Amino acid sequence: MEKLVIRGGKPLNGSVVISGMKNAALGIIFGCLLVKDKITLEDLPLISDVKLSLDILRRMGGEVTENEDGSVVIDCTNAVGGISPCDLVKKMRASYYLLGAELGRFGRAKVGRSGGCDFGSRPIDQHIKGFEALGGVVTVSDDYIRIEAENGIRGNELFFDVITVGGTINMLLASVLAEGTTVIENAAKEPHIVDVANFLNTCGAVITGAGTDTIKIKGVKELHGCTYAIVPDMIEAGTYMIAAAATRGCLRIENVIPKHLESITAKLVEMGVSVDEFDDAIVVSAPDPLRHINLKTLPYPGYPTDMQPQICALLAISEGTSHLIEGVIENRFRYVEELRRLGASIDVNGKTATINGVSGLHGARVRAVDLRAGAAMVIAGLASDGVTEIEDIHHIERGYHDIVGKLKKVGADIEKVEIQTL
Ligand code: EPZ
């Protein structure tokens, strides 16, 4: 087991390069199951969720070659459905994309129950509603979810009761090879939805409207191989923006699409942070002190829920009282207890956190309770006086490639060390 040790109080200065987007890469990797041809993926983030996804495809008979230059060649021509390894599938929620990909390719699916960040229930009723709309008969048991489509998958119209990223991506995967046209209403509009749609279109799919709340998918007979570069990770970029502000440094963040960061930029500017935008980079710096704000997380283009813990850490050391409402994911304030160990003054009541800014935080031993909570612990540790130790860092490594190396390069005093077990 390893932990991060951070000696805080040092401003971050210099430049970081953002990796490919985790939440696009996972949908695209499982989407390769739909293609009986070679696909080369570039700019895949070298994070544990990506490595896990590639291993799942390997265990299904997919050929996966990782090249020296970081690109990955995937060929699922000989992949077999219904045999994904439960021991790997249960480690990650995005494994549920196997349902859509297997249904789309084989007309049936059998996948073990998936896992991922523990926010509580995380239902998939809308995914099931979508699969049934396409002609699938879904059976959910304790261990597996099975889908059978005896008469094949047929396009249909579907209105999502809830805006769901995973449900929207699963419907894209399940319908691209369907007989006829599928229309998804009330679809999620995140940039990762657009990236998965762009990837499938590069393979010969006919998808229009991705990025809007109505997506149309005209089923095609088959898909062909391609080379595709994953879009930059807006959540990784936002995390470094907030780390720069929290340490009162000045960071140039490279390989970003500023448009994807608009809601994050808007709230940081409201706090007094300065953000300069360039074609594929942004420069972030912050004066002392920063102002309090009120914020509610919303589906894109609103402020992202995956950036909620990170801005909470920043508001904890900003002037005045802020109100942070979690409008998307249930039970996403479990990390607040860990921030309190560092000296934060935060009250949580249901979906609202009331954050009373303090003049500074002090080092302590904390845990990463989930992926983005772990990122918030890193931000708070970088801004704290003294030493912060963060355990359970496997959560952080699911979504941030080389976070220690990237932070060290811009002046952070951060190490990953082995936890001495007695
Ligand atoms: C994706 O999760 C992301 N994960 C999450 O990022 C992100 O927090 C979330 O989207 C919201 O943006 C991946 O892309 C792998 P949802 P997902 O379906 O698809 C409810 C990270 O940090 N809902 O958009 O599971 C659900 O309970 C991770 O990278 C239903 O009610 O999220 C939630 O309240 C954490 N029924 C809301 O919708 C359903 O069938 C949004 O969930 C599906 C969802």
Side-chain angles (χ1 to χ4, degrees), residues 312-313 315-317 335-346 355-366 377 380-381 384-385 388:
C312 184
L315 291 168
I317 52 173
Y335 66 90
V336 166
E337 190 49 47
E338 302 301 313
L339 281 182
R340 289 191 187 116
R341 292 178 201 282
L342 296 162
S345 170
I346 305 172
I355 306 152
N356 306 300
V358 295
S359 55
L361 299 175
H362 54 73
R365 272 182 63 184
V366 293
M377 295 305 121
S384 293
D385 289 332
T388 296

Side-chain angles (χ1 to χ4, degrees), residues 36-302:
K36 299 180 210 169
D37 200 347
K38 276 192 190 325
I39 289 165
T40 301
L41 296 179
E42 297 172 346
D43 298 340
L44 272 180
L46 298 177
I47 54 179
S48 57
D49 273 11
V50 162
K51 292 170 186 165
L52 180 65
S53 308
L54 297 176
D55 285 345
I56 289 172
L57 288 188
R58 288 188 178 101
R59 295 266 291 273
M60 296 173 71
E63 285 174 35
V64 178
T65 311
E66 296 176 47
N67 297 324
E68 287 291 307
D69 64 2
S71 64
V72 176
V73 179
I74 298 172
D75 185 343
C76 287
T77 304
N78 301 315
V80 175
I83 62 166
S84 55
C86 294
D87 57 319
L88 300 186
V89 163
K90 71 183 180 187
K91 291 183 176 177
M92 178 177 64
R93 180 166 167 86
S95 307
Y96 57 24
Y97 292 142
L98 284 164
L99 290 166
E102 286 195 11
L103 183 61
R105 162 102 180 247
F106 304 111
R108 63 167 46 87
K110 178 189 168 196
V111 181
R113 303 302 293 271
S114 57
C117 291
D118 174 15
F119 301 136
S121 61
R122 301 194 80 181
I124 61 164
D125 58 300
Q126 299 298 304
H127 300 237
I128 291 170
K129 177 181 174 181
F131 297 141
E132 289 173 342
L134 296 177
V137 176
V138 182
T139 314
V140 181
S141 69
D142 289 347
D143 304 323
Y144 287 99
I145 297 177
R146 291 177 173 82
I147 313 173
E148 287 292 341
E150 282 163 15
N151 305 318
I153 294 294
R154 306 187 64 76
N156 200 346
E157 299 203 356
L158 167 81
F159 187 97
F160 275 135
D161 307 333
V162 176
I163 296 177
T164 160
V165 166
T168 302
I169 290 176
N170 244 336
M171 278 303 284
L172 293 180
L173 300 177
S175 63
V176 280
L177 296 170
E179 187 70 38
T181 297
T182 299
V183 178
I184 308 170
E185 299 283 1
N186 202 24
K189 299 184 276 196
E190 275 71 4
H192 24 304
I193 307 282
V194 176
D195 212 37
V196 173
N198 287 345
F199 161 71
L200 293 169
N201 283 342
T202 309
C203 294
V206 181
I207 303 171
T208 52
T212 74
D213 51 18
T214 301
I215 304 177
K216 184 180 283 189
I217 305 104
K218 283 185 186 157
V220 296
K221 283 271 176 272
E222 67 175 1
L223 298 174
H224 55 71
C226 73
T227 294
Y228 193 79
I230 309 292
V231 73
D233 194 318
M234 57 186 264
I235 303 300
E236 185 191 17
T239 302
Y240 283 102
M241 291 170 77
I242 291 183
T247 58
R248 307 298 190 262
C250 180
L251 265 193
R252 183 178 177 83
I253 302 168
E254 311 267 359
N255 190 35
V256 301
I257 298 175
K259 172 81 181 155
H260 292 168
L261 303 169
E262 272 182 349
S263 62
I264 302 166
T265 299
K267 297 314 281 187
L268 290 178
V269 167
E270 206 180 315
M271 293 178 70
V273 177
S274 78
V275 180
D276 295 315
E277 293 183 356
F278 302 88
D279 285 349
D280 60 358
I282 46 168
V283 174
V284 178
S285 59
D288 210 2
L290 293 176
R291 296 188 289 270
H292 64 278
I293 56 167
N294 295 325
L295 185 155
K296 177 175 184 180
T297 67
L298 288 169
Y300 192 82

